[in-house]
Amino acid sequence: MPETSEQDFSQQRFLEINTALQSGMFVYVRKMFQTMPAYDIALLLESSTSKSRNLLWQLVDPDLHGEILEELSEEVRKGILKSMDPEKVAAVAEGMDIDDLAEVLRTLPDAVYQEVLGSMDTQDRARVEQALSYEEDTAGGIMNTDTITLRPDVTIDVILRYLRLKGELPEATDSFYVVSRNDKFIGSVSLADLVTARPEQTIAEITDYNTVPVHVNSTDTEVATLFERYDWFSAPVLDEEGHLLGRITIDDVIDIIREDAEHSMLSMAGLDDEADTFAPVIKSTRQRSIWLGVNMITALLAVAVSSMFEGILSQMAILAVLNTLVPSMGGVAGGQTLTLVIRGMALGHIGDSNARSIFTKELAIGFLNGLIWAILVAGIVAIWKQDLLLGGIIAFAMLMNLTAAGVAGVTVPLLLKRMKIDPALAGSVILTTVTDVVGIFAFLGTATLLLS
Amino acid sequence: MPETSEQDFSQQRFLEINTALQSGMFVYVRKMFQTMPAYDIALLLESSTSKSRNLLWQLVDPDLHGEILEELSEEVRKGILKSMDPEKVAAVAEGMDIDDLAEVLRTLPDAVYQEVLGSMDTQDRARVEQALSYEEDTAGGIMNTDTITLRPDVTIDVILRYLRLKGELPEATDSFYVVSRNDKFIGSVSLADLVTARPEQTIAEITDYNTVPVHVNSTDTEVATLFERYDWFSAPVLDEEGHLLGRITIDDVIDIIREDAEHSMLSMAGLDDEADTFAPVIKSTRQRSIWLGVNMITALLAVAVSSMFEGILSQMAILAVLNTLVPSMGGVAGGQTLTLVIRGMALGHIGDSNARSIFTKELAIGFLNGLIWAILVAGIVAIWKQDLLLGGIIAFAMLMNLTAAGVAGVTVPLLLKRMKIDPALAGSVILTTVTDVVGIFAFLGTATLLLS
């Protein structure tokens, strides 16, 4: 894994800085920070305990505060902003991009937020309030408003002279948007087309009229999907009437793509809201105990099912010993199907059009794998305990449970989605309950019928 | 979830196409395909069973074959290429970008691959062979070679005239690279800087000498991390001596970011190699049975531990009933820690510099949550069974196991990484074994000591 070399290097530097911090060598840390790009300092803060984080933050050059805040995850940023004076937050705010600033302001406590807004000049405040009027997880919430617009009837030569006069373009500009007199979006002109066109041509002649705009109320996930599908570098954002409001660039979309991809994995472990690896112990304990509590209820349900069979369990201790085997295998098999279906739904590969095919497929896989492991486990138990009937019972339970796992692995997430419940969050609990209950019932129930 | 509207629309269209396909309305399907962008057709193929896939493929306009192949996942692409004549593959190959073509060629069986290569002209073959000489998962494997290079002493005016003569820039060009007479990389000039500079300035005056290049042998994950950290849109690729070899653009990097983020989730369910949701049943069954086999061994280990306590189990059936509770809670708690640590390692937040802090943190959380659930479960059992001692025993086991889960959740992935084993793949099996064994030992062992 050669990608670790870069990480190892960061890690080593982080170790040095932390050692320096603990020995009170603040001047040294300050100096180290001067050689590090904002992202690396953000990474160090993410990698530090919440205690050292505030200490480190005070050693960062205030000029970098804005840039670093943009890079931090929401949880970590919140913690740092809480520790800052409102005036300092307002000072940082001045240098930030509107979309990033709005994101930062959203995480402030209300009193601080009002104070920061109050200390800004009127024009900035108006722009920020405009940005904040859009929902956080929509195209409006992630767009930038520093767009360069062109009129269709102007010549390239004029535009080039205008750009030279301007001297600098907004960050990450790869194209300009062409709008009508009343600001309605017409199309786009890429920088590449601009430099290859003849000076006497008009903008209208080189405009791409097929540019697909994004609607201001689209969700950020929807926007990310479009960028990923059509390999966009940027996209114009329009309101209901087709007026140009701003643009979204791919660097803002990448974070959404990663977060969406991570979301399923974190949710499946019940970690949905715990983005900060180094959150304080009490906070993490509280967040995780909720999930453990949910699991406790399902585990007690399995216990309740087992307790229905106390009679046969007290007669044959071997049943108690083997009782974990079938639910465990069912949980793993169902977990595989569930993971695949959740990912497939997120990528848009699974939906109503093919729910039946995936159901048939996973049912078949569950049955076949059930058969394989039924025969194997029956063999093991029959040889170990010299008991063919017991082997047969556990084989039957295994086949039942792995088939049920396949069925539940497909139907549970599809049903949850239809009920507008996040399948990644609720799916694994429900699935485990199914495989536990079916597994115990099939094993101990059959044993009661045949052995007692 | 408004993002489903877009997906619903796709799904509805897919349903229509599949119905048409099954009724043999091939002309209708062909017509539908003419209105769909390549990505949407690729999505439909990914969402179809392997049987309909080959049928659908034959109805696609051959001119779109190349573009669609680029968008498909490796598994699905392999299946389609297998069904095509080598000459047809060669025809498709002509229109593709070098980096995408190399990716496609890598998935071909050797005989077909040689035939495709043989049917290309000498120049194309040389370029492809050059691209194939780099490892697939490296910067060399994902770079494009259609880079525009500039000399430092030329004026902007000359460059602009040259570009107008050229008439078109390579796809996704946002900057040019400045090289010396012997092709050594000097720096970059963005399109934005080019259009804002005065015509009489030289390239040297507007060159960004701080452009960070990527080494041709860097892994694709390392490249993706750099793009994500520093918000790059493109990056130059250099060899050992600093010669410019090509460029990587962000659209090629996005797929890597998503795949890397997905990899952990799929691996944790043992689905590492199963990227195709609609792979044939037999293939999927075989792939998943390996993982089930591994789990079977660990489940049998838990059974073996339980069987050491058959004596006490046969005396008290209630122990058999409660025996699943402690391992289940340990498995969930440990899974949370494991997921968090695996994600933290992937993001570069966890490494040697802070292994101790995360260990201390998770140990504390494990202990605290152990305490909470120990008290609760003790209360439930004591009231339900009117047995204070039994409540105490299960409480002790719960505390032990949740603490062990926290410890194992941190140490197992860190150790695996040091041993160069993928923690996402092996971590959850090892962790479950730990929480099963510790849970059963602590519960039944203590019960044996105190109750028999």
Side-chain angles (χ1 to χ4, degrees):
Chain A
M1 288 194 284
E3 72 260 35
T4 52
S5 61
E6 162 102 3
Q7 284 192 4
D8 285 350
F9 174 71
S10 301
Q11 285 293 331
Q12 204 187 323
R13 198 158 53 170
F14 291 175
L15 199 60
E16 275 173 44
I17 293 177
N18 266 317
T19 316
L21 191 73
Q22 262 140 44
S23 342
M25 294 160 65
F26 296 146
V27 181
Y28 173 80
V29 174
R30 235 187 260 270
K31 227 178 241 168
M32 286 288 280
F33 278 173
Q34 276 159 17
T35 66
M36 287 165 71
Y39 185 94
D40 288 357
I41 301 179
L43 193 64
L44 169 66
L45 292 169
E46 297 268 1
S47 312
S48 304
T49 58
S50 38
K51 225 188 334 182
S52 354
R53 229 174 246 163
N54 289 330
L55 202 53
L56 286 167
W57 183 248
Q58 285 164 29
L59 300 172
V60 172
D61 178 359
D63 286 351
L64 280 176
H65 276 172
E67 228 177 305
I68 295 172
L69 282 174
E70 287 172 19
E71 298 288 352
L72 289 175
S73 67
E74 195 178 319
E75 287 296 309
V76 175
R77 187 197 294 147
K78 236 187 235 172
I80 287 178
L81 286 171
K82 244 192 232 165
S83 73
M84 286 173 77
D85 291 335
E87 305 96 68
K88 279 199 183 151
V89 178
V92 170
E94 269 173 42
M96 290 175 81
D97 279 351
I98 283 295
D99 63 331
D100 295 315
L101 177 56
E103 205 187 323
V104 166
L105 288 179
R106 272 182 230 272
T107 54
L108 288 180
D110 222 43
V112 184
Y113 162 79
Q114 290 300 342
E115 211 173 323
V116 171
L117 220 57
S119 68
M120 295 176 120
D121 67 37
T122 330
Q123 200 193 342
D124 276 355
R125 200 185 312 155
R127 286 176 64 212
V128 168
E129 280 178 335
Q130 170 71 20
L132 284 170
S133 71
Y134 302 112
E135 290 287 327
E136 187 176 358
D137 300 331
T138 64
I142 54 172
M143 74 179 180
N144 255 305
T145 49
D146 54 358
T147 314
I148 295 187
T149 54
L150 309 176
R151 288 284 146 78
D153 49 357
V154 186
T155 62
I156 308 297
D157 193 41
V158 172
I159 297 299
L160 284 176
R161 268 185 290 145
Y162 161 72
L163 293 175
R164 277 177 205 138
L165 215 65
K166 210 171 144 57
E168 204 180 353
L169 299 187
E171 219 181 320
T173 296
D174 71 325
S175 47
F176 308 111
Y177 298 127
V178 185
V179 293
S180 68
R181 223 159 276 278
N182 53 1
D183 252 2
K184 288 234 181 162
F185 177 76
I186 297 175
S188 69
V189 167
S190 72
L191 265 173
D193 288 337
L194 194 74
V195 296
T196 50
R198 275 168 292 114
E200 67 275 15
Q201 283 185 291
T202 62
I203 289 297
E205 289 175 66
I206 62 165
T207 297
D208 176 3
Y209 296 98
N210 294 319
T211 303
V212 181
V214 166
H215 189 273
V216 68
N217 290 329
S218 300
T219 65
D220 55 359
T221 301
E222 208 169 3
V223 172
T225 306
L226 289 171
F227 268 80
E228 217 183 334
R229 280 193 190 179
Y230 305 118
D231 291 344
W232 290 346
F233 279 65
S234 67
V237 181
L238 310 189
D239 67 10
E240 299 283 351
E241 285 85 35
H243 297 113
L244 182 71
L245 296 175
R247 65 185 177 113
I248 295 175
T249 48
I250 193 157
D251 48 318
D252 295 318
V253 172
I254 281 200
D255 297 337
I256 296 161
I257 290 176
R258 175 180 281 287
E259 277 161 27
D260 283 349
E262 271 181 354
H263 168 83
S264 300
M265 174 169 122
L266 291 177
S267 293
M268 284 181 87
L271 292 166
D272 197 27
D273 290 322
E274 193 175 10
D276 179 4
T277 316
F278 291 94
V281 169
I282 297 298
K283 196 173 160 195
S284 296
T285 304
R286 207 176 44 227
Q287 283 170 340
R288 294 202 209 157
S289 66
I290 297 167
W291 191 246
L292 286 167
V294 172
N295 182 67
M296 179 79 145
I297 294 167
T298 77
L300 283 174
L301 201 67
V303 166
V305 174
S306 286
S307 82
M308 292 165 58
F309 300 100
E310 256 191 80
I312 188 104
L313 285 170
S314 65
Q315 285 169 41
M316 301 183 63
I318 182 65
L319 293 181
V321 168
L322 292 172
N323 193 25
T324 49
L325 201 54
V326 176
S328 156
M329 292 293 277
V332 170
Q336 291 189 318
T337 304
L338 182 73
T339 304
L340 209 71
V341 172
I342 286 174
R343 169 173 165 275
M345 293 196 311
L347 292 176
H349 293 174
I350 295 178
D352 292 337
S353 80
N354 50 18
R356 244 175 70 191
S357 338
I358 189 83
F359 180 84
T360 320
K361 183 195 161 187
E362 293 297 326
L363 177 67
I365 296 175
F367 182 81
L368 284 180
N369 262 323
L371 217 55
I372 294 172
W373 297 106
I375 293 169
L376 252 155
V377 80
I380 293 170
V381 169
I383 292 167
W384 178 32
K385 287 288 156 183
Q386 299 288 322
D387 190 335
L388 258 177
L389 186 56
L390 186 63
I393 290 169
I394 200 162
F396 171 76
M398 189 72 85
L399 183 59
M400 284 293 105
N401 205 26
L402 262 60
T403 310
V407 171
V410 175
T411 49
V412 167
L414 283 172
L415 284 176
L416 285 172
K417 200 183 173 188
R418 202 165 289 184
M419 293 156 68
K420 311 263 179 219
I421 300 171
D422 181 2
L425 189 60
S428 57
V429 182
I430 299 178
L431 183 92
T432 315
T433 311
V434 172
T435 51
D436 277 0
V437 170
V438 172
I440 296 171
F441 249 118
F443 181 55
L444 295 183
T446 320
T448 307
L449 284 179
L450 298 183
L451 296 179
S452 64
Chain B
M1 290 193 283
E3 74 260 35
T4 52
S5 61
E6 162 104 3
Q7 284 191 4
D8 285 348
F9 174 70
S10 302
Q11 285 293 332
Q12 205 189 321
R13 199 158 49 169
F14 292 175
L15 198 58
E16 275 172 44
I17 293 176
N18 267 315
T19 314
L21 191 73
Q22 264 140 42
S23 343
M25 295 160 65
F26 297 147
V27 181
Y28 174 79
V29 175
R30 233 186 261 272
K31 227 178 239 168
M32 286 290 279
F33 279 173
Q34 276 160 18
T35 67
M36 288 165 72
Y39 185 94
D40 288 357
I41 301 179
L43 193 64
L44 169 65
L45 293 170
E46 297 268 0
S47 311
S48 304
T49 58
S50 37
K51 224 189 335 184
S52 353
R53 229 174 246 161
N54 289 329
L55 202 53
L56 287 168
W57 183 248
Q58 285 164 26
L59 300 172
V60 171
D61 178 359
D63 286 352
L64 279 176
H65 277 170
E67 227 177 306
I68 296 172
L69 282 174
E70 286 171 22
E71 298 287 352
L72 289 174
S73 68
E74 197 178 316
E75 287 295 311
V76 176
R77 188 196 296 147
K78 237 187 236 172
I80 287 179
L81 286 171
K82 244 193 232 163
S83 73
M84 285 173 79
D85 291 334
E87 304 96 68
K88 280 201 181 148
V89 177
V92 170
E94 268 173 42
M96 290 176 82
D97 279 351
I98 281 295
D99 62 331
D100 294 316
L101 177 57
E103 208 186 320
V104 167
L105 288 180
R106 272 183 230 271
T107 54
L108 288 180
D110 223 42
V112 184
Y113 163 77
Q114 289 301 341
E115 211 172 321
V116 171
L117 219 57
S119 67
M120 296 174 116
D121 68 36
T122 331
Q123 200 193 340
D124 275 357
R125 199 185 314 154
R127 285 175 66 212
V128 168
E129 280 178 336
Q130 171 70 21
L132 284 169
S133 71
Y134 302 111
E135 291 286 328
E136 188 176 357
D137 299 332
T138 64
I142 54 172
M143 74 180 180
N144 255 305
T145 49
D146 53 359
T147 316
I148 296 187
T149 54
L150 309 175
R151 288 286 147 74
D153 50 356
V154 187
T155 62
I156 307 299
D157 193 40
V158 171
I159 297 298
L160 283 177
R161 268 185 288 145
Y162 161 73
L163 293 176
R164 273 174 208 143
L165 217 64
K166 209 170 144 57
E168 203 180 354
L169 299 186
E171 218 182 321
T173 296
D174 71 325
S175 48
F176 308 111
Y177 299 127
V178 184
V179 294
S180 70
R181 224 158 274 279
N182 53 2
D183 252 3
K184 289 233 179 162
F185 177 76
I186 297 175
S188 69
V189 167
S190 72
L191 265 173
D193 288 338
L194 194 74
V195 296
T196 51
R198 276 169 290 114
E200 67 275 14
Q201 282 185 293
T202 62
I203 288 297
E205 288 175 68
I206 63 164
T207 298
D208 176 3
Y209 297 98
N210 293 320
T211 304
V212 181
V214 167
H215 189 274
V216 68
N217 290 328
S218 299
T219 64
D220 55 358
T221 301
E222 207 170 2
V223 172
T225 307
L226 290 170
F227 268 81
E228 217 182 335
R229 280 193 192 179
Y230 304 119
D231 290 344
W232 291 346
F233 280 64
S234 65
V237 181
L238 310 189
D239 69 8
E240 298 282 353
E241 285 86 35
H243 296 112
L244 182 71
L245 296 176
R247 65 187 177 109
I248 294 174
T249 48
I250 193 158
D251 50 317
D252 295 318
V253 171
I254 280 198
D255 297 336
I256 297 161
I257 290 176
R258 175 180 282 287
E259 277 163 26
D260 283 349
E262 271 181 353
H263 168 83
S264 300
M265 175 171 120
L266 291 177
S267 294
M268 284 181 87
L271 293 166
D272 197 25
D273 290 322
E274 194 176 7
D276 179 4
T277 314
F278 291 95
V281 169
I282 298 296
K283 196 174 161 195
S284 296
T285 304
R286 208 175 44 226
Q287 282 170 341
R288 294 202 209 159
S289 66
I290 298 168
W291 191 246
L292 285 167
V294 173
N295 181 68
M296 179 80 145
I297 295 168
T298 75
L300 283 174
L301 201 68
V303 166
V305 174
S306 284
S307 84
M308 291 166 58
F309 301 101
E310 257 191 80
I312 188 104
L313 284 170
S314 64
Q315 286 170 40
M316 301 182 64
I318 181 64
L319 294 181
V321 169
L322 291 172
N323 194 25
T324 50
L325 201 53
V326 176
S328 157
M329 292 292 278
V332 171
Q336 292 189 317
T337 305
L338 182 73
T339 304
L340 209 72
V341 171
I342 286 173
R343 172 174 162 274
M345 293 197 309
L347 292 176
H349 293 174
I350 296 179
D352 293 337
S353 81
N354 51 19
R356 245 175 70 190
S357 338
I358 189 82
F359 180 85
T360 320
K361 185 196 160 187
E362 293 296 326
L363 177 67
I365 295 174
F367 182 81
L368 284 179
N369 262 322
L371 216 56
I372 294 171
W373 297 106
I375 293 168
L376 252 155
V377 81
I380 293 171
V381 170
I383 292 167
W384 178 32
K385 289 288 153 182
Q386 298 288 323
D387 189 335
L388 257 179
L389 185 57
L390 186 62
I393 290 169
I394 201 163
F396 170 74
M398 189 72 85
L399 184 59
M400 283 295 104
N401 205 27
L402 263 60
T403 311
V407 171
V410 175
T411 49
V412 167
L414 284 171
L415 284 177
L416 284 172
K417 198 182 174 189
R418 201 165 288 182
M419 292 156 68
K420 310 263 179 223
I421 301 172
D422 181 2
L425 189 60
S428 57
V429 181
I430 299 178
L431 183 92
T432 315
T433 310
V434 171
T435 51
D436 277 359
V437 170
V438 171
I440 296 171
F441 249 117
F443 180 54
L444 296 183
T446 319
T448 308
L449 283 179
L450 299 183
L451 295 179
S452 63

